Amino acid sequence: MAVLLVGVVALVVAGCGGGDSSTSSGTTATEEPAETGGGGATEEETGEEEPSGGGEKLTVGSDIPYPPFEQGKKGSYTGFDVELMEAIGKEIGREPEFIDSSFETIFRDVAQGKFEAVMSAATITEEREKVVDFSTPYYLSEQAILVKEGSDIKGLADLKGKVVAAQQGTTGLELGKEKAEASELRPYPEGPDADNALKAGTVEAVIIDAPVAKQQAEELGGIEIVEKVPTDETYGIAVEKGNTELIEQINEGLKKAIADGSYTKVYEKWFKEAPPLEALEKAIEEAESK
Amino acid sequence: MKVFFEQYFDFHIMGEHFGEVFEAFLQNLLIFFVAAIIALIWGLVLALFRQAPGKKFIPIRVLTIAYIDVLRAVPLLIIILMISGGVPFLDFLPKDIRIPHWLGKPDPFWYGVAALVFVYGAYMAEVYRAGIEAVPSGQMEAARSLGMSHLQAMRHIIVPQAVTKVPAPMLNELISLLKDTTLVSVIAFGESVLVSREILAEQLNSSALVLTAAFFLVICLPGARLVDYLIKRNQGKMSRGAHIEVA
């Protein structure tokens, strides 16, 4: 067993060859990349072969689908995160390539170099900052309580003793654990699973990111948002710990995208409302001063 | 290599969450026992339906064969998702069946049990059938010639002999069934894999999964050895009086 593993590691290291400088590797060549095969490695290599501005690939991990942040089919992913990353990429001369990945392992994966960045509607938390570095905030988030239309649940306070669902590994689940006093809290692997359970009547409420809740309520019908809970949460783009070069680039790109209006354009397209630019800029300043 | 061991063999994290994972593993055992008992009976019923004789039972035989074939061919995971996602919408059923909360267990538990019984009933029916078919056909002929009905012959002659031939393969099915209880995590039932993955999401470390694997090893390894022992013993019985141990 051990011999086999050593073999696999050796193969991976050999495969990555000639030291890939773009991802300040170190402990990155582990078993994880072996599973996803050479795909990621070759893409990074091609990126290296043509380092001239415009086209250098930036691999971004994301748990797709999570509309309206990330959605669509492989090869043509879209959504707020995807388009904002493209806007940032334009500013810094990198071409983002999104890779679908499970949210619960996504930070471990970026820490191990499976991809260079994570952009997956990910809240910046202290726990996560221990394993990855975050960019400045690019989105201010709220959690929403979704219920069936006509439910007697009017908000967070009414969740006491109820069966409540959330998505595994998300802040909605944390909020449920801390504040809901639910009789049972069910962590579903994907957000839409939780919505289905709500429609089916097997759970009585779902706690999930507000924009996601809004879109799902519109599309599914029969369910509605009863309360939005501000959480002081912000979303950030994560990279492998210590990769300050990339973080600085991304921060710079984000600032430019906000300044030249491309952020507003993407925001309005996906959320059908104007972005809270002042609050966002304040949050960015706060993050920078830390 | 270091990352691998940190990620999967962090004994500190295993120790910290031992109680939590163990309790969740008990839930796996509970699903297993409930599903196994029902599936063992359901499988036998299916096997007997499949053997039902004569022209008038043709529809039953065809339906049973179709059921067994389909349920063995469709992935269990899909059956679990379909039951938990579909049954609540079957309006003609009473609410207690659509969203069961029997015996203080939440609905995902029962959806999981139902899916496991449906699928493993089909697998087990095939094990019983192999047992029934291993009984020499002369036994049935002899019983019928003594004036027993097909049902009497089955009950008093065939099934008692068939049952002695099924323990080893059946134990294999039971081991699989125990392992497959982890699939119920996909509908958010708090069994050991779900709990381990929650720990993974919080701690960003997979060691709880290895701990869960260890619990399964403790139960399943002796089970596998028992299967081998039963097969060997059975071979001894089958080889006409030759009780010579071949080393």
Side-chain angles (χ1 to χ4, degrees):
Chain A
M1 173 72 176
V3 176
L4 192 76
L5 276 173
V6 171
V8 169
V9 173
L11 275 177
V12 170
V13 173
C16 290
D20 55 315
S21 50
S22 58
T23 60
S24 63
S25 53
T27 55
T28 56
T30 58
E31 289 69 25
E32 286 298 329
E35 284 170 19
T36 48
T42 43
E43 275 146 22
E44 276 170 34
E45 274 167 18
T46 49
E48 268 181 330
E49 278 162 22
E50 27 188 299
S52 56
E56 197 184 347
K57 284 259 165 68
L58 174 68
T59 48
V60 185
S62 189
D63 189 0
I64 306 163
Y66 195 66
F69 288 95
E70 28 268 331
Q71 60 194 65
K73 291 206 177 71
K74 193 169 165 37
S76 60
Y77 293 133
T78 178
F80 175 71
D81 280 356
V82 179
E83 290 195 359
L84 179 59
M85 197 66 192
E86 278 163 6
I88 294 172
K90 245 179 223 163
E91 311 283 357
I92 63 173
R94 300 285 301 266
E95 196 194 329
E97 184 193 358
F98 275 73
I99 297 167
D100 192 10
S101 178
S102 171
F103 193 78
E104 50 175 24
T105 53
I106 212 163
F107 298 106
R108 193 189 75 192
D109 288 344
V110 74
Q112 293 179 355
K114 204 167 179 174
F115 25 72
E116 289 172 80
V118 165
M119 194 175 194
S120 190
T123 307
I124 303 170
T125 67
E126 277 177 29
E127 279 288 313
R128 290 170 184 170
E129 278 181 320
K130 282 181 200 157
V131 257
V132 291
D133 282 342
F134 275 101
S135 69
T136 52
Y138 69 89
Y139 180 81
L140 309 175
S141 118
E142 287 174 312
Q143 294 290 316
I145 318 262
L146 264 177
V147 298
K148 232 180 180 170
E149 267 169 15
S151 160
D152 53 359
I153 295 172
K154 297 289 174 244
L156 194 58
D158 298 331
L159 296 183
K160 194 172 176 180
K162 298 282 199 280
V163 181
V164 178
Q167 192 186 348
Q168 214 166 44
T170 61
T171 344
L173 186 64
E174 287 302 309
L175 183 71
K177 272 183 196 161
E178 281 161 24
K179 301 224 175 106
E181 291 183 63
S183 70
E184 204 193 326
L185 194 59
R186 291 189 190 161
Y188 284 87
E190 295 288 344
D193 293 336
D195 295 328
N196 281 343
L198 181 63
K199 272 204 95 174
T202 56
V203 303
E204 290 156 290
V206 173
I207 310 178
I208 198 159
D209 291 342
V212 178
K214 192 175 158 193
Q215 176 160 4
Q216 288 171 351
E218 275 166 16
E219 273 177 21
L220 279 173
I223 57 177
E224 59 180 354
I225 296 172
V226 284
E227 192 188 358
K228 282 190 186 175
V229 188
T231 51
D232 296 329
E233 274 174 5
T234 55
Y235 292 175
I237 301 163
V239 303
E240 185 192 348
K241 212 159 182 49
N243 192 354
T244 40
E245 196 193 326
L246 183 57
I247 274 294
E248 274 165 17
Q249 277 183 356
I250 289 174
N251 286 345
E252 200 49 46
L254 176 62
K255 258 191 188 164
K256 280 186 191 157
I258 293 172
D260 69 13
S262 48
Y263 179 91
T264 307
K265 225 172 96 190
V266 175
Y267 194 100
E268 280 173 349
K269 176 177 173 190
W270 290 101
F271 302 126
K272 314 259 180 327
E273 56 189 30
L277 282 183
E278 260 177 53
L280 182 65
E281 273 163 3
K282 214 177 118 199
I284 291 176
E285 266 171 44
E286 265 175 41
E288 276 175 343
S289 64
K290 258 198 269 178
Chain B
M1 205 65 181
K2 185 166 153 274
V3 181
F4 175 81
F5 278 106
E6 277 171 5
Q7 189 60 41
Y8 290 95
F9 295 92
D10 185 328
F11 292 107
H12 178 70
I13 286 192
M14 288 188 198
E16 208 173 310
H17 296 281
F18 186 91
E20 209 179 323
V21 175
F22 179 69
E23 247 171 60
F25 180 66
L26 293 182
Q27 295 301 317
N28 287 95
L29 290 181
L30 195 61
I31 297 185
F32 166 75
F33 279 119
V34 176
I37 290 167
I38 306 174
L40 281 168
I41 298 166
W42 178 226
L44 184 58
V45 170
L46 286 173
L48 292 176
F49 277 174
R50 191 173 180 157
Q51 301 287 322
K55 256 190 180 157
K56 61 178 174 176
F57 287 116
I58 285 178
I60 286 190
R61 280 206 299 276
V62 169
L63 280 178
T64 312
I65 290 170
Y67 172 95
I68 292 174
D69 283 358
V70 169
L71 273 281
R72 283 197 310 160
V74 177
L76 174 56
L77 188 55
I78 294 176
I79 304 281
I80 293 175
L81 288 170
M82 280 179 68
I83 288 180
S84 96
V87 171
F89 291 107
L90 300 178
D91 295 330
F92 58 89
L93 293 172
K95 191 164 181 276
D96 274 348
I97 291 177
R98 280 187 290 130
I99 306 176
H101 286 149
W102 309 324
L103 307 175
K105 284 292 175 195
D107 47 273
F109 177 89
W110 296 111
Y111 295 141
V113 166
L116 287 164
V117 166
F118 282 146
V119 172
Y120 274 87
Y123 286 135
M124 288 173 178
E126 290 297 280
V127 173
Y128 284 121
R129 180 170 78 116
I132 290 170
E133 286 178 356
V135 177
S137 55
Q139 295 283 320
M140 173 61 93
E141 285 157 18
R144 293 304 295 273
S145 73
L146 288 174
M148 286 187 179
S149 69
H150 178 86
L151 209 61
Q152 283 174 325
M154 270 288 175
R155 192 182 148 202
H156 297 290
I157 308 295
I158 307 298
V159 171
Q161 292 186 73
V163 159
T164 64
K165 296 181 198 304
V166 302
M170 195 57 89
L171 210 54
N172 267 332
E173 295 298 339
L174 290 173
I175 292 171
S176 285
L177 172 58
L178 175 58
K179 291 187 293 179
D180 280 351
T181 57
T182 55
L183 291 175
V184 183
S185 65
V186 79
I187 51 172
F189 179 67
E191 54 68 66
S192 53
V193 167
L194 185 96
V195 167
S196 303
R197 290 175 69 162
E198 266 304 297
I199 295 168
L200 163 60
E202 276 167 25
Q203 310 277 338
L204 302 168
N205 186 295
S206 311
S207 300
L209 277 172
V210 175
L211 181 61
T212 300
F215 285 131
F216 278 94
L217 268 179
V218 167
I219 304 285
C220 293
L221 265 189
R225 304 275 34 105
L226 186 60
V227 172
D228 281 359
Y229 168 75
L230 288 175
I231 289 174
K232 212 170 175 194
R233 200 184 64 167
N234 222 10
Q235 277 169 350
K237 269 190 191 162
M238 288 301 172
S239 54
R240 306 200 173 203
H243 281 285
I244 307 152
E245 280 284 317
V246 184

